[in-house]
Amino acid sequence: METPSAPVDRVVVGGIGASVHLAVTGQRAGELAASLRTLWSRCLDPAQGVDAGRLDLHLDDALPTQPAASRTHSTLAGADLGALLTAATQAVTYALIQAQIGNLLLLHACALSNPDTGRGLVCVAAGGTGKTTLTRTFGTRYGYLTDETVAIDGDRILPYPKPLSVRDPGAPTKSEHAPDALGLRAPRPHQEQHVGRLVLLDRDDTHAGAPEVTELGLFDAISGLAEQSSSLYRLPHALHACRDLIDATGPVLSVRYREAASLQPLVADLIGTPS
Amino acid sequence: MRVRTKPYADLIDEGGETLLLRSEGGLIRLGPVGAAIVELSANTIDLDALACALERRFGSPDGISAIAAVDAMARELAEQDVVELGEDPAGRPAWGDHPHWRIRHDAAFTQTTPDRVVVLPLRRPGESPRALLGSGAAIWRVLVGGGADLRPWVPEATVLAAVASAHGETVESIRDDTLAFLRHLAEDGLLDVREA
């Protein structure tokens, strides 16, 4: 594989209070940089935050189709633009999380907020269990904060409005889509986002009827959050932080449901209906 | 055996239960006794001292000695990586060379005069209070701790020496009668014995 040459372009993307410097190289660097700016339009030029390092992205027809990642995830190179963009999203997310482990409560979760109030709904769930679908279902009306990684400082959500990986009809693999292209609403500029409620999602294809909502006791709630946070033990006073957050926002809810749309009354009840 | 709580990331209490986050990840839920073991083992503690402290706090377990119950719990917590277990330092057996005796936690007693102690085994409903007089009262007084703990483990040699001294006799001359009396009190549910 060629050694990436000097960067042709640089793109800085950020989220969860950190930023990654993308160094774009290769024969098709211009095309790659333009795609990155479109997909990451809501994460460009982040405010000063934690430096999550540099990621080299190299798009060149002379390379194999599937992007190859170095052991450190710091270089991705390939000939397929779509595959490279998907790999870049994963690598950026990984770098941001690594930079904020021990600083923030990090959860596998999606988050939406009421643009009128900045009151956010954090829906915690494992990968592949409905976070992106829920985000797309309600994100046209509520502000899109993230579909994958929610970072919380006290009760404040640090947004990460990243591209969404969505499977196009008939396509064998997922591809990256900008939140704007999916019609997702943005929160108000400079509006602080706060946790309104934490919800543990339990999507069940066999569930019938209205969503089943259960208030969890404190220890069950923290156990559920811990299952979807690989770094909880690295956060100082993590259990106290979780307890304080739950005390401030109300009992964590476990929600068993089948179709995301059926959650509409619950979402409206928890964070209000946007004007 | 000695017990020491391993470093942990965080711990919270709620409604009589405790949640512990291990330093390498993983949540452990603890009941009141488990939480007390974690607290009391912050510094290395001998199992017998731990058992005594827990018995003072929670009373005697049903159908099992306090030592055996705490031993089982400590091993369970060690499997969960919450505490670590170690052997007693070489050359210092946990119980020395002699048996130890202790007033049971479910034995009530009151000293009515210097030479008269009234005792009652609470674990035996319907049992009447019994008065220990003279040397019986003297033996009981030796078993009563002088500090906050009124029911410490007392080495058998200490009991024998105190009784011999009180009667101006040698230990050998009072040994058999004294040990017979201690065994009698144990059979009546008033004392615990820990063999050497």
Side-chain angles (χ1 to χ4, degrees):
Chain A
M1 190 171 72
E2 268 180 44
T3 302
S5 51
V8 173
D9 206 342
R10 291 181 186 277
V11 181
V12 181
V13 299
I16 68 169
S19 57
V20 178
H21 293 249
L22 305 178
V24 184
T25 59
Q27 179 194 38
R28 296 166 60 192
E31 183 186 356
L32 175 56
S35 296
L36 288 167
R37 289 197 172 90
T38 300
L39 290 174
W40 292 85
S41 61
R42 297 194 189 175
C43 297
L44 297 175
D45 302 319
Q48 199 71 28
V50 175
D51 182 1
R54 169 176 150 160
L55 178 65
D56 291 329
L57 300 174
H58 191 79
L59 181 64
D60 198 308
D61 287 335
L63 293 170
T65 303
Q66 284 305 311
S70 74
R71 290 174 63 87
T72 60
H73 290 256
S74 62
T75 301
L76 291 168
D80 183 322
L81 175 63
L84 190 57
L85 291 169
T86 297
T89 300
Q90 295 167 356
V92 168
T93 301
Y94 178 83
L96 294 173
I97 289 173
Q98 291 301 309
Q100 291 290 35
I101 282 178
N103 297 329
L104 303 168
L105 175 58
L106 299 168
L107 299 169
H108 296 139
C110 63
L112 299 156
S113 75
N114 185 331
D116 298 337
T117 60
R119 183 175 167 84
L121 179 64
V122 176
C123 297
V124 180
T129 59
K131 293 194 296 291
T132 298
T133 301
L134 189 144
T135 300
R136 293 188 64 190
T137 303
F138 296 102
T140 53
R141 193 159 190 208
Y142 291 87
Y144 169 58
L145 302 182
T146 189
D147 75 328
E148 187 175 321
T149 301
V150 172
I152 300 170
D153 182 10
D155 74 338
R156 192 164 62 97
I157 301 172
L158 282 70
Y160 179 37
K162 57 183 273 296
L164 294 87
S165 293
V166 175
R167 193 183 306 279
D168 297 311
T173 57
K174 291 182 177 180
S175 61
E176 301 303 288
H177 294 260
D180 290 334
L182 297 174
L184 300 185
R185 189 172 178 178
R188 287 187 181 165
H190 312 300
Q191 180 186 48
E192 281 214 339
Q193 308 296 323
H194 294 274
V195 178
R197 201 64 172 262
L198 293 159
V199 169
L200 298 182
L201 295 182
D202 179 14
R203 191 170 65 80
D204 181 353
D205 284 336
T206 66
H207 181 74
E212 191 179 299
V213 181
T214 309
E215 280 192 6
L216 297 178
L218 179 68
F219 287 2
D220 286 337
I222 293 177
S223 297
L225 298 179
E227 284 177 18
Q228 298 307 327
S229 174
S230 56
S231 61
L232 188 66
Y233 66 97
R234 302 270 299 273
L235 181 68
H237 312 298
L239 300 183
H240 286 81
C242 288
R243 180 165 70 182
D244 291 348
L245 178 62
I246 293 167
D247 283 348
T249 59
V252 173
L253 303 178
S254 170
V255 180
R256 191 158 158 259
Y257 71 104
R258 181 174 178 181
E259 299 295 339
S262 69
L263 299 174
Q264 196 278 326
L266 178 68
V267 174
D269 183 47
L270 294 176
I271 59 171
T273 303
S275 55
Chain B
M1 188 168 74
R2 313 178 94 198
V3 185
R4 186 172 74 94
T5 299
K6 298 185 79 167
Y8 53 82
D10 201 8
L11 178 146
I12 56 173
D13 300 309
E14 179 86 6
E17 273 200 306
T18 297
L19 190 64
L20 180 146
L21 177 61
R22 295 183 308 202
S23 60
E24 298 301 320
L27 290 170
I28 305 291
R29 290 190 192 207
L30 301 167
V33 179
I37 290 176
V38 167
E39 174 203 332
L40 293 165
S41 307
N43 296 313
T44 303
I45 185 171
D46 289 336
L47 188 69
D48 56 295
L50 180 59
C52 282
L54 291 169
E55 204 170 11
R56 277 201 300 278
R57 196 176 290 190
F58 298 102
S60 301
D62 291 329
I64 185 172
S65 75
I67 291 278
V70 175
D71 183 283
M73 290 196 71
R75 290 180 193 281
E76 188 179 332
L77 289 172
E79 283 178 13
Q80 294 175 317
D81 220 18
V82 174
V83 303
E84 55 192 359
L85 308 178
E87 294 306 315
D88 294 302
R92 196 184 70 77
W95 294 96
D97 300 328
H98 300 281
H100 284 58
W101 297 85
R102 177 180 64 170
I103 300 169
R104 287 185 59 93
H105 282 269
D106 51 10
F109 66 91
T110 180
Q111 182 170 316
T112 54
T113 69
D115 292 324
R116 187 172 187 272
V117 178
V118 177
V119 298
L120 175 66
L122 298 176
R123 67 198 296 233
R124 297 183 178 175
E127 190 97 350
S128 298
R130 187 194 326 169
L132 304 179
L133 304 172
S135 57
I139 290 174
W140 193 272
R141 283 201 304 275
V142 174
L143 292 168
V144 177
D149 183 6
L150 295 177
R151 295 169 167 86
W153 284 104
V154 179
E156 188 172 285
T158 302
V159 180
L160 293 172
V163 172
S165 172
H167 289 81
E169 302 278 353
T170 63
V171 167
E172 286 310 311
S173 65
I174 55 92
R175 175 189 296 276
D176 291 347
D177 286 347
T178 303
L179 294 184
F181 184 70
L182 290 171
R183 281 193 291 272
H184 181 62
L185 293 179
E187 287 164 7
D188 286 348
L190 292 163
L191 299 185
D192 280 329
V193 60
R194 170 88 188 207
E195 300 298 338

